[in-house]
Amino acid sequence: MNELNRNKERLALALEAAGLDLWENDLVTGEVTFKALKTLDQLGYDSSEMASTVEELLGLVHPDDQPHLQQAVQDHVDGITPQYRCEFRLRAKNGAWIWFANFGKVMDGTATAEGRRFVGVTFNIDDRKRKEHEIEQMNRLLAEKNALLENLNLQLELLASTDSLTGLTNRRKLMELGLQECKRAERFRHPLSVLMLDIDYFKSINDTWGHLVGDQVIRAVAEVCKERVRQGVDTVARFGGEEFILLLPETNMKGAYQLAEVLRESIAQREVVANAQGDHAQFTVSIGAASCDGSNIPAFEELLNRADKALYKAKQSGRNSVED
Ligand SMILES: Nc1nc2c(ncn2[C@@H]2O[C@H](COP(=O)(O)OP(=O)(O)OP(=O)(O)O)[C@@H](O)[C@H]2O)c(=O)[nH]1
């Protein structure tokens, strides 16, 4: 065996061990001068059906992959890339698409003449591509599930912090927000106020009109409060049965008192249809105001205590009134 044959043997062994399939095309005639037999065999074609022109081969490439394959060849032929590399799908005889990769180079070129032998190897990357695809799908699914979870968490958080009758902030959330606002007021030395609002003679509203009308009255008071406060700044919370807290950042006693008067008046003018005969239930509220000016911020509970004491004064002074 001469040295050339030995080299051929060595090359064949190396190609086989690496799972590579050698091919060679003539760039000028477009002929396939050395067929990638293993590849064509994997695609299910027998030797009589095997593509003998580059054009025939291109016909086997998935239409979506053709543009980038042609571009990769062109870039290499134009000398933009030192090697031609590309991944693409080929149509098997049974119609399935199988992923392959190509690695090749134009040979025989000189400084003055372009080479015409385009030599390369093809190897099957279908397993890798399928795994990549599965991972992509799983990642997409995971991302969808995460978005769903985040959304559910948001909804849960909203449910856990909302009063079901009025849609207002509930007591648990208010205590959290109150703590935060006290800290903020202290850090920036800003004023902070709290209004504690209680529906007057609510027991007799329930007794006169029934519990459902009582609920409607609670909702009506909540609505007035929501309408009158600064959106996104103030918090209106249902604190207990017929008791509400308004948390008012950046608000001094004068501002809190003014708002309390507006609320008291608006609520006194509000009515709720109480029965089928069209009778209306009227109602008023008493409000206690507590404020701190930013120089000496108490604990939130302390602020609530002060508002509670002021509310007691408002009740004592005859109701439908505001006290601090
Ligand atoms: N309809 C209804 N009633 C409630 C709700 N929560 C508490 N109540 C009722 O509210 C009434 C509160 O009554 P009281 O605390 O005696 O006070 P009041 O009658 O409002 O009298 P003053 O506050 O002193 O003006 C009680 O009868 C509770 O049963 C609720 O969610 N819906």
Side-chain angles (χ1 to χ4, degrees):
M1 188 184 281
N2 64 24
E3 191 59 21
L4 182 65
N5 283 338
R6 278 200 202 97
N7 276 342
K8 274 187 183 168
E9 263 187 4
R10 287 172 190 140
L11 176 65
L13 183 72
L15 289 171
E16 195 178 337
L20 303 174
D21 200 15
L22 197 70
W23 49 260
E24 186 177 312
N25 301 335
D26 188 317
L27 282 175
V28 177
T29 61
E31 251 180 290
V32 175
T33 46
F34 193 98
K35 289 180 181 175
L37 294 177
K38 259 190 287 178
T39 303
L40 292 164
D41 186 48
Q42 281 177 40
L43 292 168
Y45 299 107
D46 60 39
S47 51
S48 65
E49 303 164 301
M50 286 177 181
S52 54
T53 64
V54 172
E55 206 178 325
E56 273 180 84
L57 276 179
L58 259 181
L60 296 180
V61 176
H62 193 291
D64 292 351
D65 301 337
Q66 288 191 9
H68 75 256
L69 186 142
Q70 279 169 322
Q71 189 64 50
V73 173
Q74 197 58 51
D75 285 350
H76 176 56
V77 169
D78 291 347
I80 298 169
T81 50
Q83 301 103 11
Y84 148 73
R85 288 167 188 271
C86 192
E87 295 182 352
F88 49 84
R89 282 157 288 181
L90 292 179
R91 194 182 58 247
K93 196 173 174 187
N94 64 9
W97 293 103
I98 304 179
W99 277 99
F100 289 93
N102 256 359
F103 178 86
K105 227 172 163 159
V106 177
M107 301 290 191
D108 303 341
T110 64
T112 50
E114 283 174 1
R116 57 186 292 163
R117 286 172 60 226
F118 193 18
V119 184
V121 286
T122 299
F123 45 101
N124 190 316
I125 55 165
D126 205 56
D127 267 0
R128 195 198 84 203
K129 279 288 184 185
R130 279 182 203 288
K131 282 192 182 108
E132 275 173 15
H133 183 68
E134 274 169 29
I135 289 171
E136 251 173 49
Q137 299 269 70
M138 273 159 71
N139 278 342
R140 199 169 309 133
L141 214 70
L142 259 177
E144 276 171 23
K145 296 262 178 260
N146 270 343
L148 204 75
L149 259 180
E150 265 173 38
N151 197 278
L152 277 176
N153 271 342
L154 276 178
Q155 283 181 32
L156 259 181
E157 166 63 22
L158 201 71
L159 268 179
S161 54
T162 307
D163 170 59
S164 57
L165 179 68
T166 58
L168 295 178
T169 301
N170 65 14
R171 185 181 184 127
R172 187 193 69 81
K173 185 70 182 175
L174 171 79
M175 299 311 284
E176 221 178 279
L177 294 175
L179 193 82
Q180 278 172 20
E181 285 305 334
C182 281
K183 277 190 189 151
R184 204 195 312 255
E186 190 159 33
R187 186 173 331 132
F188 299 111
R189 298 185 161 268
H190 285 176
L192 176 67
S193 292
V194 156
L195 297 180
M196 188 178 278
L197 184 153
D198 187 276
I199 304 174
D200 296 325
Y201 304 116
F202 191 63
K203 188 175 179 322
S204 85
I205 294 174
N206 270 337
D207 292 345
T208 312
W209 305 108
H211 227 72
L212 290 181
V213 174
D215 284 354
Q216 270 180 273
V217 169
I218 290 175
R219 277 202 211 101
V221 170
E223 269 165 32
V224 174
C225 293
K226 271 193 282 188
E227 281 160 20
R228 298 287 171 164
V229 297
R230 296 166 300 176
Q231 304 305 316
V233 181
D234 300 327
T235 300
V236 184
R238 185 166 178 218
F239 197 56
E242 17 71 85
E243 202 166 53
F244 302 82
I245 295 289
L246 285 90
L247 179 61
L248 312 170
E250 317 282 332
T251 307
N252 58 19
M253 179 53 91
K254 189 166 167 252
Y257 209 92
Q258 272 173 5
L259 173 66
E261 274 299 338
V262 169
L263 291 174
R264 188 191 62 72
E265 277 177 30
S266 310
I267 290 167
Q269 284 162 21
R270 194 75 167 234
E271 292 177 335
V272 160
V273 179
N275 57 24
Q277 291 76 55
D279 291 323
H280 286 79
Q282 287 175 320
F283 42 91
T284 59
V285 293
S286 298
I287 304 177
S291 223
C292 47
D293 64 6
S295 58
N296 192 12
I297 307 286
F300 184 53
E301 286 83 356
E302 172 55 22
L303 210 54
L304 289 178
N305 270 338
R306 289 191 209 164
D308 190 34
K309 286 197 179 102
L311 172 65
Y312 181 75
K313 261 166 67 184
K315 290 275 180 187
Q316 293 301 103
S317 73
R319 295 175 174 77
N320 190 20
S321 69
V322 178
E323 292 288 343
D324 60 55

